[in-house]
Amino acid sequence: MVWRAGPASPWRRAATTAVPVALPLFMRGAFGAASRGFGPRRGYQAGFAVYWAACWGIAAALGGPRTLTARWRRSGTWVPEPGALAWAGLAVPPLGAVLWELLPNRRVAGPATIATAFGVGVTNAVAEETLWRGLPVTVFPDDALRGWLWPTAGFVAWHLVPLSAGGADSRTTRRIIGGSALVGVVNGWIALRTRSLVAVGIAHAVTDSCGVRAARVRWLPAASG
């Protein structure tokens, strides 16, 4: 049985529509302020802490905690039809993360690095799926533009903020932006069709948990890993 929410109020619809523009702009300022106040490394960590808090706060305020919690339950089907296309779309980002992030850095990934990558990856995936997929689907359940494509644009734009703050090179930027676009399109489509974040959340968490290099460089002391 597919879970459905009642119609959202006009102010919630307007505010949700503004999120894909407002949040990346806000986070650009937040990362800049954090870096100036705490230095590049601590500022990067603080920027993500603000981002995760913003994801949960905005989603709860506009979608409602109980409503968003319901999105983290299966709605009767893992993926929509055509199932082969949906599963393939979900599989590509984790596979790419394993090939381009996990395996090339496996020799420098000690227990602390792996545990940190897993913790950061799951935290980020759950927060992002709740905001970028769960909230739009809740407020615009029958609107492909505002419930799927427009949030995807904001999701991609947000990734430019930590990439810029972290000094990523052009090759890394292109790869991550391309990956985030794929995640946004596929996960948004699946969430809109199934009204559930379970499948997309798992795939997203696996993808982000492969970031052992970022965990070692950005989240652990220099002597750890």
Side-chain angles (χ1 to χ4, degrees), residues 23-52 158-166 219:
L23 185 57
L25 291 176
F26 170 75
M27 289 312 308
R28 181 180 179 183
F31 265 79
S35 295
R36 290 190 296 271
F38 303 108
R41 185 169 160 278
R42 292 295 186 187
Y44 187 88
Q45 296 171 2
F48 264 97
V50 172
Y51 172 61
W52 293 331
W158 136 251
H159 281 79
L160 291 170
V161 176
L163 286 169
S164 177
W219 293 93

Side-chain angles (χ1 to χ4, degrees), residues 125-136:
V126 173
E128 289 195 326
E129 290 303 323
T130 300
L131 177 73
W132 294 111
R133 260 66 73 179
L135 176 62

Side-chain angles (χ1 to χ4, degrees), residues 5-6 10-11 13 19 21 30 36-37 42 57 59 84-85 98 120 138 147 154 157 166 173 185 206 210 220:
W11 79 267
R13 294 166 67 89
V19 167
V21 173
R36 290 190 296 271
R42 292 295 186 187
L85 178 63
V98 169
V120 171
T138 296
T173 298
V185 170
V206 172
C210 292
L220 287 172

Side-chain angles (χ1 to χ4, degrees), residues 5 32-33 59-60 93 151 159 190 200 209 220:
H159 281 79
I190 292 174
V200 298
S209 295
L220 287 172

